Amino acid sequence: MGTMRVGILLGCLLVMMSVMEVTSNVEELEIKLDRQVSQLSAPGICSRLTCQIEDNNIDIDSVKLNLVTAAGTGRNLVKVTKDKPNTEVSRKDMTGNGTLSSTSATLVIDLMNEETCNSGYFMCETFYKTASGKKRRQFAAAGPSQSPSIAVLNSAASSEAGNITEIISEAVSESFTVLMNQAVAVLTFVDTSSRVSTLEDLVFNRISALENVGEGNDTKALLELEERIAVIETASNTSKGDEPEVCERGMGDDVTKSYQPYALVTDNTISRQILCDTHTDGGGWIVLQRRYKGDVDFYRDWNAYKDGFGSNTGDFWIGNEQIHALTSKGDYELRLDFLIDGREEYAYSSSFRVGDEAAKYRLELGDVSSTIGTNGLTSHNNQAFTTFDRDNDSWGGGNCAIKFQGAWWLRACHRCNINGMWGEKTLAGVTWHDGSKWLFPTYTEMKIRRISSTET
């Protein structure tokens, strides 16, 4: 039971980190990560990675280029910090350099290993402070068509956890802020697909409190950091092998197993991998939509929403064709989970079905209940799906998807717009109407679960 709790804690911790990436829309860095794989003049180089952060008057603490390989190993390629703003890398399989000013940075790496070039997943991430002094993290990614699977990322995290001891050993000569940034950056290789929990006080406020290591508290601070890393590494190792083969209710109820909050499983109906929520209300939920990073564009056309987009390890839409295929072969219930002003909220429908493309993927709901009002679902019942290039709504003034920068089962126009513009606190943003006011979620997840014959 203790291991399972640690696993849940780890997932919540990492999602909270990811949420912090997008909470500040007032001060945001623009990170450009270019992955050039052809027309390189130097012999032996199979790929060149260039991370560029232009000067925009935001104080940068550190910038790193990280790699997660297809084999599941993770490592840092090059890094620059305030203490070490200039660095060079010269190894058998790569060369490169990095420079950091207070408000801009450039990191360049030339790779000479074909396997890494063809299958590696690369992240350029930066830690910085806002004008109010709050710590923020942003990243850009490049690599194959999709990010590595959750299992690959977890494996990478476990591999990297063993190397954190080297980081800790440098603590006496480095500031504790830089040390913590390095450790946290390593841990963010783990998939951040767990639901958000209110752990900010436990983690980030604690980090701030430990920044007095230069005043004689080095030993205590480092011991606490080592304890945190040991817990995370243990959770990563003990969770292996317990991922379910199918997405069924009750998979998180077995206390002898340490199911992660989420698992990738193959669904035979749609012949592809799905993301399965193993814990919420007994587990067994197939995730159809999720947004928590804000790094995937949801303002897309009909065919994109038909086929799906994004990655199971990040923000995504599974695809209307997949949703129709699933719900046409059985009875399903629907659940939407949100994080709104630090509170976890949800909405629920006792049944959920989506028609085929000829029916414009029309939505059919059952009895609706919610902690934030039912209006956000009931007002869209029996509506066809609308995108900016397919106007199937009933609004006479134009296309609701264009006006509100989203796509949904729109009427004239919406009370729910969870596919709207991320971080925009207007009706064109990610919104939900509770019956009296508009709410702006910072985390959304839409999921369905098969209803067994004994329940109907």
Side-chain angles (χ1 to χ4, degrees):
M1 187 69 174
T3 301
M4 182 174 68
R5 288 174 178 169
V6 168
I8 296 172
L9 177 65
L10 171 60
C12 294
L13 162 65
L14 292 167
V15 170
M16 181 274 296
M17 293 175 184
S18 182
V19 168
M20 290 191 69
E21 298 163 10
V22 293
T23 52
S24 174
N25 294 292
V26 177
E27 298 174 286
E28 188 171 283
L29 290 170
E30 181 179 359
I31 305 174
K32 298 178 181 178
L33 178 57
D34 177 61
R35 181 171 180 256
Q36 187 179 354
V37 294
S38 62
Q39 298 178 343
L40 295 172
S41 58
I45 298 174
C46 56
S47 184
R48 173 169 293 163
L49 300 170
T50 304
C51 176
Q52 182 77 43
I53 302 175
E54 297 181 355
D55 193 338
N56 58 359
N57 298 318
I58 294 179
D59 192 24
I60 300 172
D61 289 329
S62 63
V63 186
K64 302 175 69 175
L65 263 173
N66 297 321
L67 160 71
V68 177
T69 69
T73 59
R75 60 170 168 158
N76 171 248
L77 303 179
V78 62
K79 66 178 179 180
V80 288
T81 67
K82 279 187 173 181
D83 293 340
K84 299 177 181 179
N86 298 288
T87 186
E88 291 189 2
V89 177
S90 181
R91 302 173 190 163
K92 182 178 180 180
D93 59 343
M94 73 181 70
T95 61
N97 60 79
T99 60
L100 170 67
S101 73
S102 60
T103 57
S104 64
T106 301
L107 285 73
V108 179
I109 284 286
D110 287 336
L111 299 173
M112 291 166 277
N113 181 293
E114 289 287 347
E115 182 179 356
T116 300
C117 289
N118 294 333
S119 60
Y121 173 67
F122 305 97
M123 296 171 56
C124 183
E125 61 181 343
T126 180
F127 291 83
Y128 64 96
K129 289 182 181 179
T130 65
S132 61
K134 292 184 178 180
K135 294 178 184 177
R136 300 294 185 200
R137 170 184 175 269
Q138 279 182 237
F139 69 91
S145 58
Q146 287 195 337
S147 306
S149 68
I150 293 177
V152 168
L153 289 171
N154 281 342
S155 175
S158 179
S159 173
E160 278 296 292
N163 298 327
I164 298 180
T165 303
E166 297 178 12
I167 297 175
I168 294 175
S169 67
E170 298 175 5
V172 175
S173 59
E174 292 188 355
S175 72
F176 191 68
T177 301
V178 173
L179 170 68
M180 290 304 301
N181 283 344
Q182 292 172 354
V184 169
V186 169
L187 298 179
T188 54
F189 277 119
V190 181
D191 177 67
T192 56
S193 56
S194 157
R195 288 202 305 136
V196 178
S197 183
T198 54
L199 294 177
E200 186 170 353
D201 287 342
L202 176 64
V203 182
F204 279 90
N205 289 348
R206 183 179 175 193
I207 291 173
S208 299
L210 292 175
E211 288 180 355
N212 60 354
V213 293
E215 299 176 5
N217 294 323
D218 303 61
T219 302
K220 179 182 177 182
L222 292 175
L223 286 174
E224 291 192 25
L225 175 59
E226 287 181 293
E227 288 175 3
R228 281 182 56 205
I229 294 170
V231 169
I232 292 171
E233 185 176 12
T234 300
S236 175
N237 291 331
T238 56
S239 65
K240 294 177 180 178
D242 285 337
E243 292 187 357
E245 296 181 0
V246 293
C247 191
E248 293 181 343
R249 180 194 290 268
M251 58 179 57
D253 295 342
D254 188 347
V255 297
T256 66
K257 295 186 177 183
S258 56
Y259 286 136
Q260 296 179 1
Y262 291 79
L264 279 173
V265 300
T266 299
D267 187 274
N268 292 330
T269 298
I270 58 177
S271 300
R272 60 181 283 185
Q273 279 193 322
I274 59 173
L275 188 66
C276 180
D277 176 348
T278 68
H279 281 257
T280 302
D281 189 28
W285 297 97
I286 298 171
V287 182
L288 307 181
Q289 184 260 26
R290 183 175 59 179
R291 301 184 77 179
Y292 68 98
K293 287 185 175 181
D295 58 349
V296 174
D297 182 10
F298 273 64
Y299 189 53
R300 302 202 181 202
D301 62 17
W302 180 267
N303 286 333
Y305 272 92
K306 173 184 176 179
D307 298 333
F309 53 85
S311 166
N312 283 329
T313 60
D315 294 4
F316 70 92
W317 179 263
I318 194 173
N320 288 337
E321 198 63 30
Q322 326 304 330
I323 299 173
H324 163 67
L326 288 165
T327 60
S328 65
K329 295 184 180 299
D331 295 323
Y332 281 84
E333 56 189 335
L334 169 74
R335 180 182 173 109
L336 282 81
D337 283 309
F338 308 100
L339 185 73
I340 302 173
D341 296 330
R343 308 183 314 274
E344 292 186 357
E345 309 284 1
Y346 76 92
Y348 170 84
S349 175
S350 61
S351 64
F352 174 81
R353 187 181 299 272
V354 169
D356 60 15
E357 187 172 18
K360 303 174 183 177
Y361 300 117
R362 188 170 298 276
L363 174 66
E364 298 178 29
L365 298 173
D367 296 330
V368 175
S369 60
S370 175
T371 59
I372 48 174
T374 60
N375 198 33
L377 279 181
T378 56
S379 63
H380 296 278
N381 193 20
N382 295 317
Q383 296 304 298
F385 201 83
T386 288
T387 58
F388 64 71
D389 60 337
R390 294 282 185 94
D391 186 358
N392 297 319
D393 61 53
S394 57
W395 180 44
N399 184 326
C400 290
I402 295 175
K403 181 174 177 62
F404 294 106
Q405 300 290 292
W408 194 248
W409 293 275
L410 297 166
R411 189 183 294 269
C413 280
H414 73 75
R415 289 295 180 267
C416 171
N417 192 34
I418 62 173
N419 289 336
M421 296 176 63
W422 183 260
E424 181 75 18
K425 287 195 173 184
T426 69
L427 298 190
V430 178
T431 56
W432 176 276
H433 197 271
D434 68 357
S436 62
K437 63 182 180 300
W438 291 100
L439 305 174
F440 301 97
T442 54
Y443 176 95
T444 71
E445 191 170 88
M446 177 181 176
K447 61 191 79 172
I448 58 173
R449 181 169 62 186
R450 185 76 174 261
I451 302 173
S452 66
S453 57
T454 59
E455 295 176 274
T456 56

